[in-house]
Amino acid sequence: MFNRLSTITLVGLALLMGSYSIMAATPEEPVWPALKQTYFGDKTIQDDANDVLVLEAPKRAEDAAIVPITIKSLKPQTKDNYIENIYVFIDNNPMPYSAKFHLSSNLGSVDLSTRMRVDQYTYVRAVAEMNDGSLYMVSRFVKASGGCSAPAGKDAAAALARLGKMKLRMRQPTIGEPVQAQMIISHPNYNGLQFDQKARKYIPAHYVDKIDISYNGQPLISVDAGISISEDPSLRFTFTPEEHGKLEAKVRDTQSEEFEIEKDI
C-alpha cells in the first residue's frame, strides 16, 4: 500500500503526464524527501547553499496567483564551471515540480525572475545542478493560498483574443555589457484547476510548457514549465550580447500552438 507521501508524489507525476486529479499535502506533512528521491535519487544535495544561489520570494504573497520568484547565482557562469539546470519545486502545490531552467554558459550570469501560482503555505525550492553534476539548494517559506485554482484575470473571450501576443522588453543594450531583458506572452495558462462558474465545470488545461530564448541562434535559456506558472507567463533574465545580433523567444503550449518574437540588437 502506498503511503501518503508516495501518493502525493505520484499525483505530481500524473499531472505532468496530463492527469489532473487534485491532491496536495498540508504544510505539516513534509513532501520534500519523497520529491528528492523521485527526481534526484540518492544524489547528494547541499542544503542552504546561500553561497551559491539566492532565491527571492515574498514571505507573504499579496496575490497567490502571481507570486514573484527570483533566482540569482552568486558565481559567474564560465565555460568550465556553470549552472546547467535550475529546478523549481513548490512543495505543497498540486504539481510540486514547477519548472526546469536549462541554462547556457553563454549567459555570463544567472538572474532569472518569473511568477508562480502558490496553492497553500509551502516551501519554494530552487535546486541548481552544476555542469559537473553537483547539486545545491536554497529554499524559502511562502505564505499564500488558493493560487492554483484562482480564476484567470481576463474572461475567456478576452484571453483567447490576445492569446500568443508577445513582448520583448529591454533597455538600450551596450555590446559587451550585461543587460536585463523580459519576455511576456499573453496566455491564460489554464492549469485544469480553475472552475468555470457559468458552465459549472473545470476549464480544460491549456498552458505554456516550453520557452526557448536564444541570441544569434545560440541558446541562452530553455524552460520546461508545469501548471504552477502564472497567467501571462513572464521570464526576466540577464545576458551579455558580445556582438550585434538577434534576440529570439519561442513559446509552445500544451495544445502544440507555437508563438515567437525577435528583437534586433
Side-chain angles (χ1 to χ4, degrees), residues 27-75:
E28 290 76 22
E29 298 172 317
V31 180
W32 175 243
L35 291 172
K36 178 185 177 298
Q37 183 62 38
T38 297
Y39 293 101
F40 302 103
D42 295 328
K43 294 180 179 179
T44 299
I45 300 179
Q46 181 179 320
D47 295 339
D48 300 321
N50 297 305
D51 57 335
V52 177
L53 272 186
V54 172
L55 172 61
E56 297 176 357
K59 291 182 178 180
R60 184 179 294 275
E62 294 183 7
D63 187 337
I66 47 171
V67 179
I69 302 292
T70 297
I71 304 167
K72 299 178 182 179
S73 171
L74 296 178
K75 298 180 179 180

Side-chain angles (χ1 to χ4, degrees), residues 12-246:
L13 294 171
L15 283 166
L16 277 171
M17 296 182 288
S19 175
Y20 291 88
S21 300
I22 302 172
M23 184 179 294
T26 63
E28 290 76 22
E29 298 172 317
V31 180
W32 175 243
L35 291 172
K36 178 185 177 298
Q37 183 62 38
T38 297
Y39 293 101
F40 302 103
D42 295 328
K43 294 180 179 179
T44 299
I45 300 179
Q46 181 179 320
D47 295 339
D48 300 321
N50 297 305
D51 57 335
V52 177
L53 272 186
V54 172
L55 172 61
E56 297 176 357
K59 291 182 178 180
R60 184 179 294 275
E62 294 183 7
D63 187 337
I66 47 171
V67 179
I69 302 292
T70 297
I71 304 167
K72 299 178 182 179
S73 171
L74 296 178
K75 298 180 179 180
Q77 300 272 86
T78 68
K79 297 293 184 182
D80 297 324
N81 186 29
Y82 65 95
I83 297 174
E84 190 168 33
N85 297 297
I86 294 178
Y87 304 84
V88 177
F89 295 87
I90 303 177
D91 286 11
N92 295 317
N93 268 13
M95 187 175 77
Y97 182 44
S98 301
K100 176 184 176 182
F101 298 83
H102 182 73
L103 310 177
S104 166
S105 59
N106 296 326
L107 271 179
S109 62
V110 176
D111 186 352
L112 307 170
S113 297
T114 189
R115 301 177 299 209
M116 297 281 192
R117 294 183 171 109
V118 176
D119 203 50
Q120 54 181 298
Y121 287 22
T122 185
Y123 277 101
V124 177
R125 305 175 191 272
V127 179
E129 181 178 24
M130 305 299 294
N131 61 310
D132 64 2
S134 57
L135 299 165
Y136 302 86
M137 182 175 75
V138 289
S139 60
R140 295 290 180 270
F141 192 78
V142 175
K143 295 180 179 180
S145 60
C148 290
S149 58
K154 307 179 184 71
D155 62 50
L160 288 175
R162 290 191 50 78
L163 181 71
K165 293 186 181 299
M166 299 177 66
K167 294 180 180 178
L168 267 178
R169 296 174 175 171
M170 61 192 305
R171 60 178 173 79
Q172 184 62 40
T174 299
I175 299 301
E177 295 185 7
V179 64
Q180 191 176 79
Q182 182 181 24
M183 185 231 61
I184 304 173
I185 179 168
S186 182
H187 201 294
N189 242 36
Y190 295 130
N191 58 17
L193 304 177
Q194 287 98 6
F195 192 73
D196 186 332
Q197 296 291 343
K198 293 182 179 179
R200 305 302 300 168
K201 62 181 182 180
Y202 285 98
I203 301 171
H206 179 198
Y207 60 91
V208 167
D209 64 355
K210 187 72 171 179
I211 301 172
D212 289 306
I213 308 289
S214 64
Y215 188 65
N216 277 350
Q218 297 298 311
L220 295 176
I221 305 169
S222 180
V223 185
D224 296 320
I227 67 170
S228 296
I229 300 295
S230 73
E231 176 184 8
D232 296 336
S234 167
L235 175 61
R236 188 163 58 243
F237 59 96
T238 297
F239 79 108
T240 302
E242 298 294 349
E243 60 184 6
H244 291 286
K246 186 173 294 184

